[in-house]
Amino acid sequence: MGTRLYPVTKSQPKEMLPLGTRPVIHRVVEEAAVAGISDMLVVTGAGKATIEDHFDPAAGLSPEDAPEDAPSTVDLSNLQLYYTRQGERLGLGDAIRYGAEFAGAEHFAVLLGDCVMEGSELGGPMKRLVEAHATNEADISILLQHVSLEATSRYGIIKPGAALDEGLFEIADIVEKPGPANAPSRYAVAARYVFSPTIFDYLDALEPGHGGEIQLTDAIRAMIADGKRGVGVPLREDERRLDVGNFESYSRAFFRTMLTDSNYGEGLREYMRKLLAHIDDPSEPDPDSVEA
Ligand code: G1P
């Protein structure tokens, strides 16, 4: 619902907030495209119609309207997007159930639309996740980020099992938002998953869990308990998850994307150095004043 970003999200979904030169959801779809995904079902809900407009070539500005120096983006023309709406906000596990027919008998990926994976290679983490899922013949593969002990109350946390090749490991258990006292590790679920369609049977059998919601984490836990194979894929040191859930994390994500942008980064870093010097010591020139 984006309540932590009110009033910015009063009438626009957080997924449409700009992250540098494009909306967050645009970057998420780019990640999927780079990972070789050709068909995507976007599960939206009330108040999220602008997401559909954004990807509709007939709505709003057309590519011909773009200025010559418009930022280059990943080619999404081979990606087919479909939409459905979650009728009631019953939780992440419930939202994923809307994809059951779409996925059919195929393994499928889940990408949450309010954060992006950033690193030296665009879409690198998502690509590795998809590959790891196939190579290890997994039923569940999850991208993981290392978090502080305090932060374990904000994420699904996994218990690592046996080590696999290339820094991957089996998932022995998973628990939703356990907090420091009960966290089985500091490996947090980082908003990207690949599943076998078996997960839909487990989602259908769930009762509401943490926060009264149908929790995806609970379905994964039940699958693992039944002996299904879960594989954890940690983000590498040069990769990170940028989250837009609140003003601080959104600002950090925005700064980082713009300050490292290939077109604008250099100029903005220079501006930022001057601005910080001025904020720390107002006798330093203000980069926004005419004299500077
Ligand atoms: C969801 C999942 C949680 C995961 C998080 C970030 O939580 O339930 O397991 O760690 O996304 O990927 P939410 O942020 O929607 O509360």
Side-chain angles (χ1 to χ4, degrees):
M1 286 172 72
T3 41
R4 286 174 298 161
L5 290 160
Y6 183 91
V8 166
T9 45
K10 187 180 171 305
S11 63
Q12 69 173 336
K14 61 179 169 179
E15 295 83 0
M16 281 300 293
L17 293 183
L19 199 49
T21 55
R22 39 213 191 272
V24 181
I25 186 88
H26 191 122
R27 291 182 183 272
V28 175
V29 170
E30 286 181 341
E31 280 181 40
V34 168
I37 289 167
S38 57
D39 299 86
M40 258 187 117
L41 176 70
V42 187
V43 184
T44 67
K48 298 195 190 260
T50 50
I51 295 177
E52 277 182 63
D53 283 348
H54 179 75
F55 293 105
D56 179 353
L61 297 174
S62 79
E64 291 88 69
D65 297 321
E68 270 181 22
D69 62 350
S72 63
T73 52
V74 173
D75 179 12
L76 300 179
S77 54
N78 292 324
L79 186 74
Q80 194 66 46
L81 288 164
Y82 303 84
Y83 298 88
T84 188
R85 281 174 173 239
Q86 185 186 25
E88 261 185 286
R89 294 180 203 270
L90 298 179
L92 176 59
D94 175 66
I96 288 163
R97 283 199 302 209
Y98 283 75
E101 271 190 43
F102 181 78
E106 291 189 43
H107 288 235
F108 65 99
V110 170
L111 298 89
L112 306 191
D114 60 356
C115 60
V116 302
M117 301 304 140
E118 203 260 358
S120 46
E121 191 199 343
L122 179 80
M126 194 60 217
K127 228 157 106 181
R128 280 209 318 285
L129 184 68
V130 169
E131 281 163 14
H133 187 81
T135 313
N136 291 286
E137 298 183 349
D139 296 296
I140 305 145
S141 300
I142 308 181
L143 197 65
L144 301 169
Q145 66 178 135
H146 223 196
V147 298
S148 68
L149 197 57
E150 301 74 63
T152 54
S153 55
R154 300 203 306 268
Y155 298 99
I157 303 291
I158 67 115
K159 179 179 175 190
L164 302 167
D165 286 349
E166 299 183 15
L168 314 189
F169 39 78
E170 287 183 356
I171 296 173
D173 197 5
I174 182 169
V175 45
E176 183 67 9
K177 307 192 170 97
N182 300 311
S185 78
R186 285 168 46 198
Y187 279 114
V189 172
R192 303 288 182 266
Y193 314 76
V194 184
F195 294 115
S196 107
T198 321
I199 186 108
F200 293 115
D201 298 333
Y202 286 81
L203 285 168
D204 284 344
L206 283 185
E207 296 292 327
H210 186 93
E213 298 189 340
I214 302 289
Q215 291 289 352
L216 176 60
T217 297
D218 293 343
I220 298 171
R221 182 171 217 194
M223 280 177 80
I224 302 274
D226 276 354
K228 304 278 188 271
R229 186 165 167 80
V231 171
V233 180
L235 285 170
R236 291 183 175 159
E237 262 176 37
D238 67 333
E239 297 167 342
R240 56 210 69 79
R241 168 173 170 274
L242 303 181
D243 169 86
V244 302
N246 61 58
F247 283 112
E248 186 175 340
S249 67
Y250 173 55
S251 304
R252 289 168 75 139
F254 190 94
F255 294 154
R256 184 165 201 134
T257 2
M258 272 321 251
L259 291 172
T260 54
D261 184 89
S262 54
N263 285 339
Y264 300 100
E266 200 181 337
L268 284 172
R269 290 196 297 275
E270 183 59 26
Y271 166 79
M272 203 57 101
R273 280 186 207 104
K274 289 182 183 158
L275 180 63
L276 291 176
H278 174 70
I279 290 170
D280 287 343
D281 175 1
S283 72
E284 290 289 322
D286 179 345
D288 288 309
S289 81
V290 182
E291 285 71 34

